[in-house]
Amino acid sequence: MKSTNSKDSSHGQPSIVRRRIVALAGGVGGAKLAHGLAQILAPEDLTVIVNTGDDFEHLGMYICPDLDTVCYTLAGLANPETGWGRVNETWNTIANIEKLGGPNWFRLGDQDIATHLERTRRMKEGQSLSQITRDFCAAWGIKHTILPMTDSPVRTMVDTDEGELAFQEYFVHRHCEPRVKGFRFDGVNIAEPAPGAREAIESADAIVFCPSNPWVSVDPILRVISLTPTPLPWGEGRKVVAVSPIIGGKTVKGPAAKMYSELGIEPSALAVAEHYRNILAGFVLDSVDSEMENSIKQLGIRTLVTDTLMNNLTDRTRLAQDVLNFIRS
Ligand code: FO1
């Protein structure tokens, strides 16, 4: 549903057509584009649906790394060096846990621990993850809607040459070293989308897949929300647009390129477009990959070639504006 403001082009003023956007995001890359979109879109025009397949219980706390990364980023609280965790963080708790012989492989800062403790307390009281996220967003001054993909537990399991590993065990504890053979999303078949997610998608003019890992960040969300293929021609109905997380055959952050290689697929923007080919209407690839544009077009997908690296807020906002202009085109 489009909402149009009162300016009327027939009176010589440009008509400003608002677009409702749903962004699907994993961790750091997803959070950056969501942050850019939030600079441009009004709060009622942007819903970010976040992967919760990376969530796990650790040291007695319920931890939602991607959800926290997106929230901290939109709130301006994220650690600019890592992209995850909090800015101006201290590490006293984890240092003392380490001294006592406890697990220290998952680096939890003191401020971050407050988030996990309070979330865990509320969950034990029976509050849902989406309810808690709504309250936390309000406390952090976030005006746009951030939803976990689901309130039920879904756990990404990584099948490797060393057996099946829980996601954070593979990702952080084992530094993505075991060779990947496949993925399983435990609990996905019974998981319902979080309240509001379906409505946001139904009323959206476009769904944007942020530059997050297709295998372990976007796929779990797609499985939960059961996004139906969009065979409509460009310009008719909802547009589904993805931004490539692979630039010049490499990922800016995280193991997506390594995963493609280990699964026997050459990592590239084209491989990402092929991954989503049944649901995509448009694809945004980096200028360094412009030679792939024609091959992507041959998949029946519209393309935008632009600079997709997001080193600062200006880059995030510019890329978000490019994506919105592409959607409007
Ligand atoms: N990633 C790491 O590589 N090492 C860590 O110690 C680590 C701790 C951590 C703590 C809180 C949090 O919200 C995220 C954290 N991450 C860490 C990032 C996270 O595990 C991954 O980036 C995502 O799960 C993948 O999107």
Side-chain angles (χ1 to χ4, degrees):
M1 246 52 24
K2 291 169 198 70
S3 45
T4 313
N5 87 347
S6 54
K7 286 187 181 172
D8 179 354
S9 57
S10 64
H11 293 97
Q13 291 194 330
S15 105
I16 300 171
V17 179
R18 283 171 32 195
R19 298 283 185 223
R20 292 232 167 108
I21 304 293
V22 168
L24 309 187
V28 178
K32 286 180 179 177
L33 184 59
H35 195 200
L37 290 166
Q39 304 306 303
I40 302 166
L41 296 166
E44 60 274 23
D45 291 341
L46 176 65
T47 299
V48 188
I49 301 179
V50 183
N51 172 42
T52 57
D54 297 11
D55 295 7
F56 73 134
E57 279 175 58
H58 186 62
L59 293 167
M61 296 178 289
Y62 191 91
I63 300 174
C64 306
D66 287 357
L67 206 47
D68 291 343
T69 298
V70 172
C71 290
Y72 291 160
T73 303
L74 263 68
L77 298 172
N79 179 331
E81 268 108 57
T82 54
W84 50 264
R86 295 280 292 257
V87 68
N88 300 325
E89 188 56 287
T90 54
W91 305 91
N92 298 309
T93 312
I94 197 79
N96 281 282
I97 288 172
E98 187 180 345
K99 264 192 200 142
L100 296 171
N104 66 349
W105 56 269
F106 199 77
R107 308 295 300 162
L108 292 168
D110 298 328
Q111 300 178 84
D112 194 27
I113 285 173
T115 305
H116 311 312
L117 282 178
E118 176 58 7
R119 176 192 293 125
T120 308
R121 184 190 72 76
R122 289 177 184 231
M123 290 189 90
K124 283 192 175 152
E125 265 185 1
Q127 294 185 32
S128 69
L129 185 57
S130 48
Q131 214 177 323
I132 298 166
T133 305
R134 192 168 50 238
D135 287 354
F136 285 8
C137 283
W140 288 323
I142 299 169
K143 302 247 166 8
H144 298 81
T145 304
I146 301 176
L147 299 176
M149 64 186 190
T150 177
D151 281 335
S152 337
V154 172
R155 295 291 169 267
T156 298
M157 305 299 295
V158 187
D159 185 20
T160 76
D161 57 353
E162 298 181 29
E164 194 174 60
L165 299 172
F167 182 78
Q168 297 297 346
E169 185 65 26
Y170 160 80
F171 189 91
V172 176
H173 204 184
R174 301 297 315 280
H175 311 288
C176 308
E177 278 162 14
R179 281 186 73 82
V180 164
K181 298 200 298 191
F183 308 95
R184 187 170 67 83
F185 307 115
D186 202 19
V188 81
N189 293 335
I190 50 165
E192 286 292 321
R198 221 170 243 143
E199 294 79 355
I201 287 166
E202 275 160 16
S203 64
D205 297 287
I207 318 282
V208 177
F209 300 179
C210 290
S212 297
N213 188 314
W215 300 101
V216 293
S217 296
V218 180
D219 279 358
I221 310 177
L222 294 178
R223 287 286 302 279
V224 171
I225 65 174
S226 320
L227 197 63
T228 46
T230 312
L232 294 170
W234 185 261
E236 287 176 38
R238 191 181 60 209
K239 291 170 182 169
V240 181
V241 169
V243 180
S244 178
I246 296 196
I247 303 176
K250 298 195 176 87
T251 17
V252 182
K253 196 169 170 65
K258 182 175 181 284
M259 287 173 172
Y260 271 101
S261 301
E262 290 171 359
L263 293 166
I265 306 165
E266 196 186 330
S268 68
L270 175 60
V272 177
E274 280 173 340
H275 187 101
Y276 297 131
R277 66 184 298 170
N278 293 331
I279 38 176
L280 274 197
F283 190 74
V284 181
L285 65 158
D286 194 85
S287 314
V288 301
D289 294 316
S290 58
E291 83 282 0
M292 289 176 197
E293 191 181 12
N294 278 339
S295 311
I296 296 169
K297 280 184 174 154
Q298 277 163 21
L299 300 173
I301 298 170
R302 287 233 181 171
T303 50
L304 169 71
V305 178
T306 187
D307 294 335
T308 61
L309 258 184
M310 292 178 280
N311 290 321
N312 50 45
L313 183 57
T314 309
D315 293 344
R316 295 174 189 183
T317 312
R318 188 203 33 78
L319 178 59
Q321 189 63 66
D322 285 352
V323 172
L324 294 173
N325 292 344
F326 179 47
I327 288 164
R328 278 175 197 136
S329 67

